[in-house]
Amino acid sequence: MSIDTINKSPSDYGFRMPAEWEPHERTWMMWPCRAEVWGDMAATKADYVKVAQAIREFEALTMVVNPEDEQEARKLLGSEIDILVAPIDDSWARDAAPNFLINDKGQLAGSAWQFNAWGETYVGYDNDNAVGEQILESAGAAVFVSELVGEGGAVLTDGEGTILTTETCLLNPNRNPGWTKNEVEQELLRTLGAKKVIWMPGNADEDETNGHVDGLAQFIRPGVVLAEISYDMEHPWYDIMQDNINSLRGQTDAKGRELDLVFIEDAHGCDTIGEKFCTSYINSLICNGGVLIPKYGIDADDRAVAVYQRLFPE
């Protein structure tokens, strides 16, 4: 079956964005290369190796690497990590890579949105804007291109037609000026094969991503959302978290189920390498039989692990 990606939409072929807990063929990462973000590049690369090797325990992994970094990356990553050599500007596959799509015929596709480095937060992003199509071609997947400007971290799905996103991100004029909320919503539904979008307020005070949803909430299973909360009223984002939680209360998903909310603290008070980095445990990865979550070196780490162990007893 040939796929017309110019005149057709993903949904015309039954494509949908699967949930994170559905079986993966592999995970994709991008090798660190923007020194202005990381500072200590050697330490950063060592940590990326640890993350990649942890994921590899559960499933295959491909690291996208700049041509000039290929030799170093192969040496550090080892033989079990696959490498795709392609020009990139940064190291955030969650945001610059495509949204993979599947259908009931076993076909693979992806929606490649436009990427402008989180509203032109960083200078130079043409390579990252092009890498989505390169990843899809490497994977043998059909490529659906969209004019929507956004990042993978701006959306979450339950795999059954429901999308979570935030107003402060995708409705921000630094991404989609001139687009109405309805136009953005319709393009999300079209490119992700979804039926319903649930809008959260987001976080206007978070300057790096303008309030990505993947630092605020996460689908754990159909009908169940893990939401970030603070029990400390002195937390600078206490009210923001409450507003986002309240926006989810009483909401129903695409199947008509009322959302069941589960709560988890953030890692407020930890020492980070800069204000641009989140302190969220929700910013996790569900693999084939495992869950990777951040660790910040504080007591909240143990409480976060306990929450995930309760949610994923298997």
Side-chain angles (χ1 to χ4, degrees), residues 54-172:
I55 295 170
R56 187 62 185 87
E57 294 181 26
F58 301 97
E59 59 195 64
L61 185 138
T62 297
M63 185 76 70
V64 184
V65 178
N66 264 321
E68 60 267 29
D69 296 327
E70 179 184 3
Q71 185 174 356
E72 176 193 43
R74 289 191 184 278
K75 179 180 177 181
L76 293 175
L77 289 166
S79 60
E80 291 196 354
I81 305 297
D82 298 321
I83 286 180
L84 172 65
V85 178
I88 55 176
D89 303 302
D90 209 344
S91 47
W92 303 99
R94 168 73 169 171
D95 290 342
N99 296 303
F100 277 100
L101 310 171
I102 58 174
N103 65 14
D104 292 338
K105 297 182 178 180
Q107 295 173 312
L108 185 67
S111 285
W113 297 343
Q114 303 303 307
F115 179 78
N116 73 346
W118 309 277
E120 299 184 333
T121 297
Y122 296 97
V123 176
Y125 49 81
D126 287 347
N127 290 329
D128 283 354
N129 189 39
V131 78
E133 293 185 50
Q134 291 175 282
I135 288 173
L136 291 171
E137 290 169 3
S138 174
V143 183
F144 291 92
V145 178
S146 170
E147 293 305 309
L148 181 74
V149 177
E151 309 86 39
V155 294
L156 296 166
T157 181
D158 63 355
E160 297 187 357
T162 314
I163 300 296
L164 279 181
T165 191
T166 61
E167 295 179 350
T168 55
C169 180
L170 289 184
L171 301 186
N172 197 310

Side-chain angles (χ1 to χ4, degrees), residues 99-282:
N99 296 303
F100 277 100
L101 310 171
I102 58 174
N103 65 14
D104 292 338
K105 297 182 178 180
Q107 295 173 312
L108 185 67
S111 285
W113 297 343
Q114 303 303 307
F115 179 78
N116 73 346
W118 309 277
E120 299 184 333
T121 297
Y122 296 97
V123 176
Y125 49 81
D126 287 347
N127 290 329
D128 283 354
N129 189 39
V131 78
E133 293 185 50
Q134 291 175 282
I135 288 173
L136 291 171
E137 290 169 3
S138 174
V143 183
F144 291 92
V145 178
S146 170
E147 293 305 309
L148 181 74
V149 177
E151 309 86 39
V155 294
L156 296 166
T157 181
D158 63 355
E160 297 187 357
T162 314
I163 300 296
L164 279 181
T165 191
T166 61
E167 295 179 350
T168 55
C169 180
L170 289 184
L171 301 186
N172 197 310
N174 66 12
R175 286 171 174 79
N176 297 292
W179 289 53
T180 67
K181 183 177 182 178
N182 182 64
E183 287 171 336
V184 173
E185 180 168 315
Q186 292 306 310
E187 189 66 353
L188 289 176
L189 297 176
R190 185 187 76 83
T191 58
L192 302 179
K195 303 293 185 184
K196 180 174 183 177
V197 176
I198 297 175
W199 291 91
M200 299 169 62
N203 185 352
D205 292 342
E206 192 273 287
D207 295 330
E208 190 71 8
T209 70
N210 305 119
H212 268 187
V213 70
D214 68 358
L216 297 168
Q218 173 67 291
F219 278 113
I220 295 299
R221 61 182 65 90
V224 181
V225 174
L226 180 64
E228 190 169 79
I229 195 170
S230 175
Y231 300 105
D232 178 6
M233 295 185 67
E234 299 302 315
H235 192 301
W237 290 348
Y238 176 86
D239 290 336
I240 290 171
M241 292 182 190
Q242 289 296 319
D243 288 344
N244 280 289
I245 290 169
N246 289 336
S247 74
L248 296 173
R249 295 190 190 278
Q251 289 277 6
T252 56
D253 63 18
K255 298 285 189 180
R257 294 171 294 225
E258 183 169 336
L259 297 181
D260 179 16
L261 303 183
V262 183
F263 302 108
I264 190 169
E265 301 169 73
D266 74 341
H268 178 59
C270 71
D271 291 328
T272 65
I273 59 177
E275 291 184 359
K276 62 171 63 71
F277 292 96
C278 75
T279 54
S280 173
Y281 295 104
I282 287 175

